[in-house]
Amino acid sequence: MKIGVYPGSFDPFTIGHLEVLKSAAGLFDIVYVAVLNNTAKSPVFGVEERMEMIRRVIETEAFENVRAGSFNGLLVDYAQSIDAQYIIRGLRAITDFEYEFQIDAVNRHLKPEIRTVYFMATPAHSFLSSSSVREIGEWGGSIEGLVPHCNTDYIRERLARQK
Ligand code: PNS
């Protein structure tokens, strides 16, 4: 059984994340979308809130092999605890590559048997990030089409209150 873990801050989960998840769900038997539960990163959305939005996406998209999870500590330890042999990450631009190159080196140093696979974003999504969604939403701009439709209203209202 091929099990993958798709980790991230997902603050919030965007349509770029959804694109990666769709590809991964088609390739792996089970995919865990794992929200980093690390208060040092000061996320805007709480871990439960982020997981709830991911669960809503799983339900709306009718993904049968996708689960929502959360972790703190080392990603490779979490991956091992759920028997995942693969880490899944998305790549948008060359700047992502440098960051991913570094994370991969650390993870492979810790557990060489766990490999990371990457999905390139379509050019239309290459500009998109959770931080741009947060900024647009906090200033009252439209986030329509940037986050999964099932979460748009929730994120819009939540970010408007944040300001
Ligand atoms: O969405 P992000 O913030 O780019 O995701 C980063 C993430 C969660 C993949 C990374 O910060 C991570 O794996 N953190 C857990 C701690 C860890 O395992 N560190 C070693 C690799 S740098």
Side-chain angles (χ1 to χ4, degrees):
M1 176 114 83
K2 281 194 169 54
I3 302 177
V5 58
Y6 180 26
S9 302
F10 303 122
D11 187 35
F13 191 91
T14 68
I15 52 155
H17 295 132
L18 179 57
E19 183 191 15
V20 170
L21 183 57
K22 279 182 180 165
S23 304
L27 206 60
F28 293 95
D29 295 305
I30 301 180
V31 176
Y32 288 87
V33 183
V35 177
L36 177 67
N37 184 4
N38 179 354
T39 45
K41 277 208 169 186
S42 313
V44 165
F45 295 90
V47 65
E48 266 311 319
E49 230 178 342
R50 286 177 279 159
M51 282 173 69
E52 193 48 45
M53 287 190 273
I54 290 164
R55 283 192 204 103
R56 211 174 293 141
V57 169
I58 293 171
E59 203 181 303
T60 308
E61 297 287 331
F63 286 129
E64 290 190 352
N65 60 341
V66 179
R67 320 264 181 273
S70 70
F71 74 104
N72 50 31
L74 292 175
L75 172 61
V76 288
D77 289 338
Y78 176 72
Q80 196 169 45
S81 75
I82 54 169
D83 291 328
Q85 311 95 330
Y86 298 93
I87 293 167
I88 297 150
R89 294 284 289 169
L91 284 175
R92 290 163 303 183
I94 199 77
T95 43
D96 279 349
F97 179 81
E98 283 188 31
Y99 176 54
E100 296 300 329
F101 189 73
Q102 208 176 0
I103 297 182
D104 181 60
V106 174
N107 287 337
R108 280 169 73 179
H109 168 77
L110 294 169
K111 288 206 194 315
E113 66 278 18
I114 298 177
R115 297 305 310 269
T116 303
V117 296
Y118 302 90
F119 291 96
M120 294 289 294
T122 57
H125 295 162
S126 61
F127 71 97
L128 180 58
S129 66
S130 296
S131 57
S132 59
V133 168
R134 292 197 303 271
E135 194 163 0
I136 294 166
E138 283 176 15
W139 290 104
S142 173
I143 57 163
E144 199 76 47
L146 304 182
V147 295
H149 185 67
C150 58
N151 289 326
T152 308
D153 289 346
Y154 180 82
I155 294 171
R156 184 193 301 114
E157 283 160 26
R158 182 67 170 66
L159 289 174
R161 269 190 280 132
Q162 185 74 22
K163 192 73 205 148

